[in-house]
Amino acid sequence: MKEYVYPALFHKNDDGSFTVTYPDLPGCISEGKDLGNAMYMAESALTQWVEYLTDKKMDIPEASALGSVKIGADEFANLIRANIKDGRAVRRTVSIPKWMDDAVSEAGLSLSKVLQDALKTRLSSVH
């Protein structure tokens, strides 16, 4: 997992919601109905933005220092972190009983998909 940290600008709107922009990532914008939701949405937007750049093999810009970000009226800057998981497929040899392999084939299931779903469920309960 690789970590990226960028400064984000939080602009408070008249209705109490927040618009979030990233000075180093033009076009990366999010919104939240309140500050907590805006923080959550900011992390999600940053994660998706960096994943997109990574998938397209585009350069990921360097993050500015928080203190160098220009802040406007009704705004504040905060650092937002995104943890990017390496989604590339890897080959692993696994062993399962023959009856299980036959049942998977008969059901028309993808063994890789079933294994991934099971591991996601198991790992989410551990963390």
Side-chain angles (χ1 to χ4, degrees), residues 10-73:
F10 289 76
H11 177 83
K12 188 167 187 178
N13 301 311
D14 292 338
D15 63 357
S17 67
F18 288 84
T19 300
V20 184
T21 58
Y22 290 89
D24 300 312
L25 304 170
C28 184
I29 301 169
S30 191
E31 292 186 319
K33 60 186 174 196
D34 55 35
L35 182 56
N37 182 245
M39 297 288 283
Y40 174 80
M41 297 301 290
E43 182 179 333
S44 177
L46 177 59
T47 299
Q48 290 175 32
W49 197 264
V50 174
E51 285 176 343
Y52 175 81
L53 293 176
T54 302
D55 287 347
K56 297 298 181 186
K57 297 184 180 5
M58 298 171 70
D59 290 334
I60 299 172
E62 289 290 320
S64 298
L66 184 61
S68 70
V69 175
K70 296 192 183 341
I71 301 170

